């Protein structure tokens, strides 16, 4: 996502929202419309109303107001009341939405809606208010599960199939925007599998133009059958933090799996593979012998990890896990993250023009806190070795460069010093500060070693393994 494009999570501080409302009688508003709009009727077999779909769904969507435990000092009156003073739960000014997904009172919402709270005040469509407990939350997918204790069976939304969504499908967003109360809006699926937005660690969003605003967080995205296909989470905006036609929802296929894990243990223990996956572009796929860019390209394999023990190598392309297709790098991350530590999976891997099957026993994820952001340090120049044909200047690693690039003493490779943006190196995406680790799967230790490969013949393109910051990637250098 471009840095200039802000993303807004949809829970809001309602005390900071000022609503200026222009009210016009309905008849007057209708007469003010042009005749061609005023007299418009449904075209073809398009329904004139979706009320039979939306009204039942709205009964299963609630308002969620997180509650914080605060210290209340004892007053003189408290001395005459049992239990006076001490801690009490106070509703916060921020609000969001939630979806009842089980009749015994299980509610799905966003983790950021109830951030820092152990309970929430839930308001139902009929105006009832009940306190809900936060059973668990997963910050990495921005999902949380609440529980209200009720005797009667509550209305729920049936889960739909978010995997089969297509661009153009009609959808409805239901929630509590801007504190107005229950609201339904209509739009279409604008895109699927939106990633790289920086909203959550694991992203696979449905994009819609159904109007959603602050306060819609945790609300329902439903299809024309009234089935739940997503949990509304965020909007992308420029200039004004309000609806601009780009809303994002967590697919229910992901939300259901996270919910089940949270209900099972209150938290998620994620599995770990130990690779840096990347997306394949058409040039890389063609260079590697694939007919189309599919699967997750392995950019690097960490020593001592399940991936290393199983025989996965940089340059491999993971095509399936347990028979399920792996579309891209994000799909691989999700597939691994929602499996259990210690579980063995079967991976179909493409290597050297053919596929092979690798059994991999996953481990527990050691750490979720690493940012993974690249370290864009421009190295001090020790010696320049211009490679004019490819459009880059290189230098050998020394102790000073290792410190500046945060590399260990055992690190090897060649540092990129300068890149001509119009050259093959520039078009491949090489940047100053990159560390070239291997060319055509052959490790390189110094500039002379790399030059012997670059000058070894009239190759049309070369596959480079490059480290940038704390991540590795594969780049195609085309002559």
């Amino acid at each position: 996502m471009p840095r200039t494009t802000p993303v807004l999570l949809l829970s809001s501080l309602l005390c900071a929202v000022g609503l200026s409302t222009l009210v016009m009688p309905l008849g007057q508003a209708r007469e003010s419309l042009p005749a061609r709009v005023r007299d418009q009727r449904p075209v073809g077999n398009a329904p004139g109303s979706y009320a039979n779909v939306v009204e039942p769904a709205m009964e299963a969507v609630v308002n969620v107001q997180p509650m914080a435990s605060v210290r209340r000092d004892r007053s003189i009156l408290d001395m005459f009341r049992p239990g006076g003073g001490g801690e009490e739960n106070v509703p916060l000014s921020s609000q969001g939405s939630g979806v009842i997904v089980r009749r015994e009172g299980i509610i799905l919402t966003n983790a950021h809606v109830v951030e820092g709270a152990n309970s929430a005040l839930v308001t139902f469509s009929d105006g009832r208010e009940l306190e809900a407990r936060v059973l668990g939350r997963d910050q990495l997918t921005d999902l949380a599960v609440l529980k209200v204790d009720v005797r009667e069976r509550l209305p729920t939304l049936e889960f739909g199939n978010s995997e089969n969504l297509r661009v153009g499908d009609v959808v409805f967003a239901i929630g509590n925007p801007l504190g107005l109360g229950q609201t339904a809006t209509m739009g279409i699926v604008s895109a699927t599998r939106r990633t790289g937005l920086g909203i959550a660690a694991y992203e696979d969003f449905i994009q819609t133009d159904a109007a959603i605003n602050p306060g819609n967080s945790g609300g329902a995205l439903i299809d024309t059958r009234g089935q739940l296909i997503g949990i509304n989470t965020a909007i992308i905006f420029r200039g004004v933090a309000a609806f601009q036609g780009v809303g994002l929802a967590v697919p229910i296929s992901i939300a259901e799996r996270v919910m089940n894990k949270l209900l099972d243990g209150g938290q998620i223990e994620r599995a770990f593979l130990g690779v840096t996956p990347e997306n394949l572009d058409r040039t890389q796929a063609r260079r590697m012998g694939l007919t189309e860019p599919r699967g997750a390209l392995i950019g690097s394999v960490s020593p001592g990890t399940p991936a290393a023990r199983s025989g996965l190598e940089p340059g491999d392309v993971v095509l399936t896990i347990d028979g399920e297709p792996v579309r891209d790098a994000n799909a691989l991350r999700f597939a691994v993250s929602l499996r259990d530590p210690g579980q063995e999976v079967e991976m179909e891997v493409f290597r050297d023009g053919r596929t092979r099957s690798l059994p991999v026993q996953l481990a527990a994820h050691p750490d979720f806190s690493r940012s993974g952001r690249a370290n864009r340090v421009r190295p001090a120049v020790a010696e320049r070795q211009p490679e004019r044909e490819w459009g880059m200047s290189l230098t050998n690693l020394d102790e000073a460069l290792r410190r500046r690039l945060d590399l260990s003493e055992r690190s090897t490779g060649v540092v990129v010093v300068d890149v001509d943006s119009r050259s093959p190196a520039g078009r491949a995406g090489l940047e100053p500060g990159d560390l070239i680790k291997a060319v055509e799967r052959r490790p390189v230790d110094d500039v002379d070693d790399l030059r012997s490969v670059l000058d070894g013949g009239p190759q049309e393109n070369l596959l480079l393994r490059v480290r940038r910051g704390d991540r590795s990637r594969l780049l195609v250098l085309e002559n």
Side-chain angles (χ1 to χ4, degrees):
M1 179 182 64
R3 294 184 180 179
T4 57
T5 305
V7 175
L8 179 69
L9 299 175
L10 298 171
S11 57
S12 63
L13 294 177
L14 296 180
C15 60
V17 176
L19 295 178
S20 176
T21 305
L22 175 63
V23 179
M24 180 181 294
L26 182 59
Q28 179 182 342
R30 180 172 177 79
E31 290 305 317
S32 67
L33 294 172
R36 60 181 176 83
V37 176
R38 185 171 65 244
D39 299 330
Q40 186 171 330
R41 297 291 184 269
V43 178
N45 59 359
S49 174
Y50 286 99
N52 291 338
V53 172
V54 174
E55 285 179 356
M58 294 182 79
E59 296 179 2
V61 179
V62 298
N63 178 38
V64 176
Q65 188 172 15
M67 302 180 75
S69 181
V70 299
R71 178 75 185 176
R72 181 164 58 85
D73 294 332
R74 288 175 62 89
S75 66
I76 295 177
L77 290 176
D78 288 332
M79 296 180 182
F80 299 95
R81 295 200 296 257
E87 299 281 332
E88 67 175 344
N89 277 340
V90 176
L92 300 175
S93 56
S94 61
Q95 293 189 27
S97 305
V99 185
I100 308 171
V101 293
R102 292 193 182 175
R103 294 189 181 280
E104 62 270 26
I106 299 300
I107 297 171
L108 257 177
T109 187
N110 286 135
H112 73 263
V113 170
V114 291
E115 185 174 1
N118 293 320
S119 63
L121 185 65
V122 172
T123 305
F124 294 84
S125 61
D126 60 7
R128 284 184 303 157
E129 293 184 345
L130 291 175
E131 188 170 332
R133 292 172 287 126
V134 179
L135 296 185
R137 65 191 120 215
D138 179 39
Q139 303 290 353
L140 299 187
T141 53
D142 196 11
L143 293 166
V145 178
L146 314 181
K147 173 72 166 67
V148 290
D149 295 320
V150 291
R151 293 182 178 179
E152 75 273 24
R153 292 167 68 83
L154 296 173
T156 63
L157 276 179
E158 179 184 349
F159 288 173
N161 189 338
S162 56
E163 293 298 302
N164 291 339
L165 286 176
R166 298 187 302 168
V167 173
D169 286 350
V170 173
V171 292
F172 305 90
I174 304 174
N176 179 43
L178 302 173
L180 292 172
Q182 286 276 31
T183 301
T185 57
M186 176 176 140
I188 63 168
V189 173
S190 305
T192 58
R193 300 188 174 111
R194 284 288 189 223
T195 62
L197 302 172
I199 300 170
Y202 296 105
E203 298 180 341
D204 197 10
F205 291 114
I206 303 165
Q207 180 183 326
T208 176
D209 67 346
I212 53 179
N213 285 286
N216 271 109
S217 272
L221 189 70
I222 65 172
D223 59 20
T224 53
R225 290 171 293 190
Q227 294 181 327
L228 183 65
I229 56 170
I231 301 296
N232 296 322
T233 298
I235 57 176
I236 296 179
F237 67 95
R238 291 187 179 179
V240 179
F243 170 68
Q244 294 187 19
V246 184
L248 302 166
V250 178
I252 198 60
S253 59
I254 294 169
E256 182 179 17
R257 295 170 75 176
V258 171
M259 178 190 73
N260 290 337
K261 282 181 171 286
L262 289 175
L263 289 174
D264 186 46
Q267 60 183 1
I268 294 181
E269 186 179 2
R270 283 186 160 82
F272 176 66
L273 180 59
V275 300
T276 302
E278 301 173 11
N279 292 331
L280 273 169
D281 60 31
R282 292 193 177 278
T283 300
Q284 290 171 320
R286 188 170 58 252
R287 174 66 181 81
M288 300 178 73
L290 289 168
T291 56
E292 58 180 344
R294 61 188 178 95
L297 176 65
I298 302 302
S300 66
V301 177
S302 300
T305 62
R309 290 191 292 270
S310 71
L312 272 172
E313 298 178 1
D316 287 347
V317 179
V318 179
L319 301 177
T320 67
I321 294 182
D322 290 337
E324 298 178 6
V326 173
R327 303 184 310 271
D328 51 28
N330 199 56
L332 177 62
R333 294 189 191 98
F334 260 121
V336 172
S337 72
L338 294 179
R339 280 169 165 79
D340 295 323
Q343 181 178 348
E344 184 173 289
V345 296
E346 196 77 17
M347 292 190 175
E348 183 186 17
V349 174
F350 185 84
R351 180 192 299 169
D352 295 333
R354 64 186 185 92
T355 59
R356 62 192 70 198
S357 182
L358 292 179
V360 183
Q361 186 170 15
L362 303 173
H365 202 299
D367 183 21
F368 291 119
S369 64
R370 297 177 63 185
S371 67
R373 288 180 293 181
N375 178 7
R376 303 296 180 87
V377 177
R378 186 182 179 91
V381 179
E383 57 173 315
R384 290 177 179 261
Q385 298 285 350
E387 305 299 330
R388 291 188 177 91
E389 181 184 0
W390 300 97
M392 57 185 171
S393 298
L394 309 169
T395 187
N396 290 324
L397 268 177
D398 58 19
E399 186 177 347
L401 278 175
R402 284 190 175 91
R403 286 197 304 269
R404 290 176 66 87
L405 297 174
D406 194 24
L407 300 173
S408 69
E409 293 181 359
R410 295 176 297 175
S411 295
T412 59
V414 175
V415 178
V416 178
V417 177
D418 282 323
V419 176
D420 181 349
S421 61
R422 298 164 297 180
S423 69
R427 291 191 296 271
L430 281 165
E431 297 180 2
D434 285 348
L435 181 68
I436 300 176
K437 299 282 293 180
V439 181
E440 293 293 302
R441 293 183 176 267
R442 171 182 162 184
V444 294
D445 296 326
D446 53 35
V447 171
D448 290 338
D449 198 10
L450 177 59
R451 184 182 292 120
S452 68
V453 179
L454 296 180
D455 296 341
Q459 302 100 326
E460 291 186 3
N461 49 57
L462 296 169
L463 193 65
L464 308 184
R465 179 158 59 91
V466 175
R467 170 169 172 160
R468 183 177 299 165
D470 60 357
R471 302 184 65 179
S472 293
R473 62 194 64 202
L474 292 174
L475 301 176
V476 175
L477 195 62
E478 294 184 287
N479 198 353

